[in-house]
């Protein structure tokens, strides 16, 4: 690995690589979900005397934020994150072990960190990091023609 963190920070992909079909599909999925939530909650809110558009506005806001975050993330060249794979993986394993000691119990199992109003389940991050580390291994095999020989090569 010849990349450094400093070279990683300035690499942003160009706008012409945005997959419009994928973006439109995800937007349509988000809009469909918002409409379904609205249709499922509208009458109950009217009967209770509340604003019938409450969940429509709330969920629409979150879908809008998600679309913006999706676009910003799509501009980042994910291959620049290769150097961070091992530290992310080690941190995710420490997070999983830490749940055993300081995690919150839910339905008879310890699986969450409770951070005030936010609950974090480290196993979800571990799945993402594990997938990324598998990609890293396949890239290493392609470069060398053999499996990765670093201490993390068996991921």
């Amino acid at each position: 690995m010849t990349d450094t963190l400093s070279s990683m920070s300035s690499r942003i992909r160009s706008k012409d690589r945005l997959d419009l079909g994928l973006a439109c599909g995800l937007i349509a999925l988000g809009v469909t979900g918002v409409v379904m939530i609205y249709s499922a909650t509208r009458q109950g809110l009217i009967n209770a005397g509340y604003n019938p558009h409450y969940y429509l506005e709330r969920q629409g806001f979150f879908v809008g934020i998600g679309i913006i975050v999706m676009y910003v993330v799509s501009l980042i060249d994910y291959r620049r994150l290769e150097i961070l794979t091992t530290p992310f993986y080690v941190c995710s394993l420490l997070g999983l072990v830490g749940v055993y000691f300081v995690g919150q119990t839910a339905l008879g199992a310890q699986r969450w960190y409770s951070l005030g109003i936010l609950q974090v389940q480290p196993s979800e991050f571990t799945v993402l990091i594990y997938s990324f580390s598998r990609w890293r291994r396949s890239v290493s095999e392609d470069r060398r023609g053999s499996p990765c020989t670093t201490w993390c090569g068996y991921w």
Side-chain angles (χ1 to χ4, degrees):
M1 277 192 286
T2 60
D3 295 71
T4 62
L5 289 174
S6 61
S7 68
M8 178 176 84
S9 63
S10 64
R11 294 274 174 108
I12 294 182
R13 296 186 334 185
S14 63
K15 294 179 195 174
D16 62 343
R17 293 188 182 182
L18 181 65
D19 185 353
L20 289 178
L22 179 62
C24 289
L26 290 173
I27 291 169
L29 185 64
V31 169
T32 302
V34 169
V35 170
M36 293 177 92
I37 288 172
Y38 175 67
S39 69
T41 59
R42 180 179 173 271
Q43 194 59 46
L45 290 172
I46 289 173
N47 292 342
Y50 297 121
N51 177 10
H53 304 294
Y54 174 75
Y55 289 113
L56 174 74
E57 294 166 355
R58 181 182 166 130
Q59 200 64 24
F61 173 75
F62 288 123
V63 167
I65 295 294
I67 289 169
I68 292 169
V69 169
M70 178 183 68
Y71 177 71
V72 169
V73 168
S74 74
L75 295 175
I76 298 170
D77 185 3
Y78 62 89
R79 291 170 289 201
R80 298 280 121 208
L81 297 175
E82 180 181 354
I83 194 171
L84 298 175
T85 304
T86 302
F88 281 168
Y89 191 73
V90 170
C91 288
S92 71
L93 291 178
L94 291 174
L96 289 173
V97 171
V99 167
Y100 180 72
F101 297 106
V102 295
Q104 297 295 317
T105 302
L107 301 174
Q110 284 184 286
R111 54 183 115 191
W112 301 92
Y113 286 118
S114 183
L115 307 172
I117 62 169
L118 180 68
Q119 290 185 332
V120 179
Q121 188 173 14
S123 62
E124 297 300 325
F125 295 110
T126 304
V127 169
L128 178 65
I129 292 167
Y130 179 76
S131 300
F132 193 70
S133 64
R134 294 291 296 176
W135 167 81
R136 177 181 175 218
R137 180 176 182 221
S138 69
V139 168
S140 296
E141 288 175 359
D142 289 344
R143 286 185 192 157
R144 297 185 198 143
S146 63
C148 179
T149 57
T150 62
W151 68 273
C152 59
Y154 49 84
W155 295 348

